[in-house]
C-alpha cells in the first residue's frame, strides 16, 4: 500500500466519507476494510463526536519488496473490545479451521436418533423429509455466511445476536433470539455433560467387563467428564481450539460411521418390521408425525455458531471472509451428509421399529448386538462419543464465555485478566454440571424447548436477508425467503404445540437430583 493509496476505515457502525480522488489517482475508489460492531452498543448506532482518521499510511519499512507488495497489504483496525473477547481475539482463521469448527458443531449425538423418525414416517417420507431439511438448513447457512459482513456499511456481524439486533432491533431481538441462543449454547453444554458422563460409565463397563470393581455412580461420572471439559476450556479463544474441533469432528465421523457399518455388517434383526408406528387416536398420530419432523430438524445444529466461526477470519474488500468460510462449510457439510444419511437409512434397515426412542442407534447397538460385536469395537465407539462430547463442549461454550467476558469489558474498559477468565469458565462448567444433576428430566421437555429454538436455524436467517439485503419485492429471492421464513415459524409453533401435548399426555417424572 503506497502513499498514493487511500483506505477508508468504517469502524463500529460509523461511516467516514472518503475524500475525492486526487489527480493522477485514476479516479479509483478507496479500499474498504471491515470491523465488528462493539457489543456495548447497537451495531448500526452512530457514535457522535468520534473522530476516525480518513487515511492510514503504511510505512515504507513494513516490507523491503517495494510498492507492489505494499499495495496488497491491508490493515484492519479492530474495535478494542473485540480484541479483548474470546471469539474475536484472534483473526488468523482460515478455511481449514472453519471446516473443523463447522463439522464439529454440525454432527452431534442427536444424529443417532434420526432412525427414530423413520419408524413414524416410513421409508419414503423419511428420506424425503430428511433431504428437504438438509437442503433448507444448508441454504440458511449460506445466507448467514453472506450476511456476516456488509459492504454497504463496512460492518462485520461477528455474533448471531449482533445480526439479530441489526435486523429486529435491540428489544425485539432479546425477546426473539436471546433465549434460543442461550439454550443452543448453555443447554447443549448441559446435554453434553449428560451424554458424556453416561457414555463414560458405559465405556468403563464395556472395557472392564463384569470382573471389574464397582463403577462410579452416575453423578460421579458426570463430574469426571465436567472436570475434563473445564480443564480443556482454559484455551483462550475460538481460534485456539481449532485442533480440539478437528478431534471432535474426526471422532463424530468415526462413531457415526462405526455404528452404521457394524449394524449393516451384523445384518437385520429377526422379524424386523418397517411398518410405520401408529398411535391409537388420530390426534396422537398427527403429533407423532410432528415429533418425527422435529427429530429431523433438530439433527441439524450449529447455525448459532456460524457467524462466530467466520469472525475468526481476516476480512477486507478484496478478500472477504465469506469466500474461504463458504469453502470450509461446503466441505464440512459434504461430510455431514455422508454421515447422517447412511446412519438414518442403515439404522432403520437394521433395526426397524425396534430402535429405542431414547438413545437411538448407540443404545440399539449395545442392546441388540452387544454380545455379537467385539468388546474393543464397542469400547472404541463409546470413546469416540466421549471425545466428541468434550470437544463440542468447548465450541458451544465459547459464545457463553464471550458474553460473560463482554460484561466485564463493558464495565471496566479493559480485557479480562487470565485468572478471572479461568474462574468464569470453571464456574460455567460446574454450573452446567449442577443443572445436569439437578434437572435430569430436562430431556423430557427437550422437544418443547427445541421447538422454540428452531427459528434460529430455519427462519431468522431468511428474515435477516430480507431486512439487510432488501431484495426486489416479488422477485424469486424475495418470495423464497418469505416462504421459508414463514414456514420455519409455523413449524416452530407446531413443534411447540406437539411438545406441550406430549408433556400433558405422557406426563413428566419430576425427580430432582436423581439422574439415571
Amino acid at each position: 500500500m503506497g502513499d498514493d493509496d487511500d483506505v477508508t476505515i468504517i469502524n463500529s457502525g460509523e461511516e467516514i466519507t472518503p475524500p475525492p480522488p486526487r489527480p493522477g489517482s485514476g479516479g479509483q475508489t478507496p479500499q474498504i476494510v471491515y470491523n465488528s460492531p462493539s457489543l456495548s452498543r447497537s451495531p448500526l448506532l452512530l457514535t457522535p463526536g468520534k473522530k476516525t482518521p480518513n487515511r492510514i499510511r503504511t510505512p515504507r519499512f513494513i516490507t523491503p519488496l517495494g510498492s507492489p507488495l505494499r499495495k496488497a497489504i491491508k490493515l484492519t483496525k479492530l474495535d478494542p473490545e473485540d480484541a479483548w473477547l474470546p471469539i474475536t481475539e484472534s483473526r488468523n482463521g482460515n478455511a481449514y479451521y472453519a471446516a473443523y469448527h463447522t463439522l464439529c458443531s454440525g454432527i452431534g449425538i442427536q444424529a443417532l436418533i434420526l432412525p427414530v423418525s423413520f419408524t413414524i414416517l416410513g421409508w419414503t417420507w423419511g428420506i424425503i423429509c430428511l433431504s428437504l431439511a438438509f437442503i433448507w438448513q444448508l441454504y440458511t447457512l449460506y445466507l448467514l455466511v453472506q450476511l456476516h459482513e456488509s459492504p454497504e456499511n463496512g460492518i462485520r456481524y461477528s455474533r448471531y445476536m449482533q445480526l439479530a439486533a441489526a435486523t429486529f432491533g435491540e428489544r425485539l431481538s432479546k425477546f426473539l433470539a436471546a433465549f434460543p441462543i442461550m439454550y443452543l449454547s448453555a443447554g447443549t453444554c448441559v446435554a453434553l455433560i449428560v451424554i458424556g458422563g453416561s457414555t463414560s460409565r458405559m465405556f468403563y463397563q464395556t472395557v472392564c467387563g463384569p470382573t471389574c470393581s464397582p463403577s462410579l455412580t452416575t453423578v460421579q461420572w458426570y463430574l469426571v467428564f465436567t472436570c475434563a471439559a473445564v480443564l480443556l476450556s482454559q484455551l483462550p479463544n475460538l481460534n485456539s481450539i481449532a485442533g480440539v474441533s478437528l478431534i471432535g469432528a474426526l471422532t463424530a465421523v468415526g462413531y457415526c460411521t462405526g455404528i452404521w457399518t457394524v449394524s449393516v455388517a451384523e445384518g437385520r434383526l429377526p422379524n424386523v418390521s418397517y411398518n410405520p408406528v401408529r398411535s391409537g387416536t388420530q390426534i396422537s398420530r398427527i403429533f407423532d408425525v410432528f415429533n418425527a419432523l422435529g427429530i429431523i430438524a433438530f439433527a441439524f445444529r450449529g447455525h448459532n455458531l456460524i457467524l462466530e466461526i467466520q469472525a475468526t477470519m481476516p476480512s477486507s474488500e478484496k478478500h472477504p471472509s465469506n469466500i474461504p468460510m463458504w469453502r470450509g462449510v461446503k466441505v464440512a457439510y459434504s461430510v455431514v451428509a455422508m454421515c447422517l444419511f447412511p446412519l438414518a437409512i442403515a439404522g432403520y434397515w437394521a433395526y426397524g421399529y425396534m430402535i429405542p426412542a431414547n438413545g437411538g442407534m448407540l443404545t440399539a447397538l449395545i442392546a441388540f448386538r452387544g454380545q455379537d460385536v467385539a468388546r474393543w469395537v464397542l469400547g472404541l465407539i463409546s470413546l469416540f462419543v466421549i471425545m466428541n462430547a468434550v470437544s463440542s463442549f468447548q465450541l458451544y461454550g465459547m459464545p457463553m464465555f464471550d458474553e460473560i467476558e463482554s460484561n466485564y469489558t463493558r464495565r471496566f474498559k479493559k480485557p479480562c485478566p487470565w485468572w478471572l477468565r479461568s474462574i468464569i469458565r470453571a464456574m460455567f462448567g460446574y454450573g452446567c454440571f449442577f443443572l445436569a444433576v439437578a434437572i435430569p428430566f430436562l430431556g423430557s421437555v427437550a422437544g418443547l424447548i427445541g421447538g422454540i429454538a428452531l427459528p434460529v436455524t430455519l427462519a431468522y436467517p431468511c428474515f435477516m436477508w430480507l431486512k439487510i439485503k432488501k431484495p426486489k419485492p416479488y422477485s424469486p429471492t424475495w418470495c423464497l425467503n418469505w416462504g421459508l421464513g414463514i414456514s420455519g415459524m409455523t413449524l416452530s409453533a407446531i413443534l411447540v404445540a406437539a411438545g406441550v401435548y406430549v408433556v400433558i399426555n405422557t406426563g413428566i417424572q419430576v425427580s430432582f437430583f436423581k439422574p439415571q
Side-chain angles (χ1 to χ4, degrees):
M1 188 183 300
D3 288 346
D4 296 331
D5 293 311
D6 290 325
V7 177
T8 299
I9 300 289
I10 301 177
N11 185 16
S12 303
E14 182 180 3
E15 182 171 349
I16 305 299
T17 304
R22 294 187 303 275
S25 64
Q28 295 180 349
T29 57
Q31 300 171 353
I32 296 177
V33 292
Y34 296 99
N35 185 26
S36 300
S38 170
L39 293 179
S40 60
R41 57 184 179 271
S42 169
L44 298 181
L45 188 62
L46 297 178
T47 306
K50 184 175 179 181
K51 301 282 186 185
T52 303
N54 287 348
R55 298 192 298 169
I56 289 183
R57 300 284 189 179
T58 304
R60 291 187 178 276
F61 59 79
I62 202 169
T63 172
L65 301 183
S67 180
L69 185 56
R70 286 201 301 272
K71 289 182 178 180
I73 295 176
K74 296 187 178 230
L75 300 181
T76 302
K77 181 181 178 183
L78 296 179
D79 188 293
E81 200 169 316
D82 271 334
W84 297 337
L85 297 176
I87 287 177
T88 49
E89 190 175 62
S90 172
R91 300 260 191 184
N92 298 323
N94 52 48
Y96 296 102
Y97 287 9
Y100 303 158
H101 292 315
T102 305
L103 186 56
C104 184
S105 64
I107 302 180
I109 200 69
Q110 76 278 4
L112 298 181
I113 63 172
L114 272 177
V116 177
S117 64
F118 279 57
T119 63
I120 300 172
L121 300 174
W123 278 115
T124 303
W125 283 109
I127 294 175
I128 291 175
C129 292
L130 180 60
S131 302
L132 290 177
F134 180 81
I135 296 172
W136 187 350
Q137 62 87 32
L138 191 60
Y139 173 71
T140 56
L141 198 60
Y142 171 80
L143 296 183
L144 289 175
V145 171
Q146 300 303 316
L147 288 171
H148 173 79
E149 51 205 0
S150 175
E152 292 80 11
N153 51 32
I155 290 179
R156 290 186 72 177
Y157 300 103
S158 298
R159 295 156 185 88
Y160 197 102
M161 279 301 300
Q162 290 175 344
L163 184 57
T167 304
F168 306 116
E170 288 286 342
R171 293 184 179 180
L172 188 58
S173 66
K174 292 179 180 178
F175 174 76
L176 294 176
F179 176 75
I181 293 297
M182 184 181 300
Y183 169 74
L184 288 173
S185 295
T188 300
C189 290
V190 174
L192 289 171
I193 290 177
V194 175
I195 294 165
S198 302
T199 311
S200 298
R201 183 179 185 180
M202 185 186 305
F203 173 75
Y204 176 84
Q205 294 172 344
T206 301
V207 173
C208 219
T211 60
C212 287
S213 59
S215 174
L216 302 176
T217 65
T218 302
V219 175
Q220 290 171 333
W221 279 116
Y222 286 3
L223 183 59
V224 170
F225 178 86
T226 304
C227 290
V230 168
L231 181 63
L232 201 56
S233 70
Q234 300 308 315
L235 292 171
N237 52 60
L238 191 55
N239 257 343
S240 67
I241 65 170
V244 176
S245 293
L246 175 60
I247 295 174
L250 294 177
T251 51
V253 174
Y255 73 70
C256 287
T257 305
I259 289 175
W260 74 258
T261 301
V262 171
S263 299
V264 171
E266 293 295 328
R268 295 185 295 181
L269 292 178
N271 302 319
V272 65
S273 174
Y274 302 119
N275 295 323
V277 177
R278 303 298 184 188
S279 301
T281 64
Q282 187 68 22
I283 296 179
S284 297
R285 295 179 183 177
I286 294 175
F287 281 115
D288 283 344
V289 172
F290 291 153
N291 285 327
L293 296 177
I295 290 172
I296 293 176
F298 300 149
F300 302 105
R301 63 176 186 174
H303 286 56
N304 61 304
L305 297 175
I306 204 67
L307 295 175
E308 285 80 352
I309 295 172
Q310 192 171 350
T312 63
M313 296 181 172
S315 184
S316 63
E317 184 186 24
K318 286 188 177 180
H319 304 284
S321 63
N322 65 324
I323 296 176
M325 182 65 192
W326 183 240
R327 190 183 305 126
V329 168
K330 287 189 292 185
V331 172
Y333 271 83
S334 298
V335 180
V336 169
M338 289 188 291
C339 290
L340 298 191
F341 281 86
L343 186 67
I345 296 172
Y348 186 54
W349 174 85
Y351 305 111
Y353 68 91
M354 299 178 68
I355 298 175
N358 295 323
M361 287 290 291
L362 184 60
T363 303
L365 180 66
I366 294 175
F368 300 131
R369 300 300 186 188
Q371 302 300 322
D372 304 326
V373 180
R375 185 186 301 177
W376 70 268
V377 175
L378 296 177
L380 185 62
I381 290 175
S382 300
L383 181 62
F384 282 170
V385 172
I386 298 168
M387 295 175 67
N388 172 254
V390 75
S391 301
S392 299
F393 186 94
Q394 314 310 315
L395 196 54
Y396 278 89
M398 196 61 71
M400 298 304 298
F401 303 154
D402 187 90
E403 176 63 25
I404 296 171
E405 290 186 29
S406 71
N407 294 324
Y408 177 90
T409 59
R410 280 200 301 265
R411 181 172 181 178
F412 296 100
K413 307 301 180 184
K414 63 179 182 179
C416 191
W418 69 267
W419 58 267
L420 183 58
R421 171 176 283 186
S422 300
I423 293 175
I424 288 173
R425 298 185 180 193
M427 291 181 63
F428 172 80
Y430 290 114
C432 292
F433 163 76
F434 176 81
L435 291 177
V437 175
I439 315 177
F441 57 88
L442 188 63
S444 301
V445 294
L448 174 61
I449 302 177
I452 300 174
L454 186 66
V456 171
T457 300
L458 299 182
Y460 292 164
C462 300
F463 295 132
M464 292 170 174
W465 183 270
L466 290 168
K467 177 65 181 294
I468 294 177
K469 295 299 183 179
K470 296 180 174 57
K472 184 179 179 181
Y474 306 107
S475 64
T477 303
W478 186 89
C479 295
L480 176 63
N481 283 284
W482 270 113
L484 292 180
I486 294 174
S487 300
M489 297 301 296
T490 303
L491 181 59
S492 174
I494 290 174
L495 293 180
V496 170
V500 172
Y501 176 82
V502 169
V503 169
I504 296 175
N505 190 43
T506 62
I508 298 178
Q509 184 179 0
V510 179
S511 54
F512 293 97
F513 296 98
K514 293 181 180 179
Q516 300 296 323

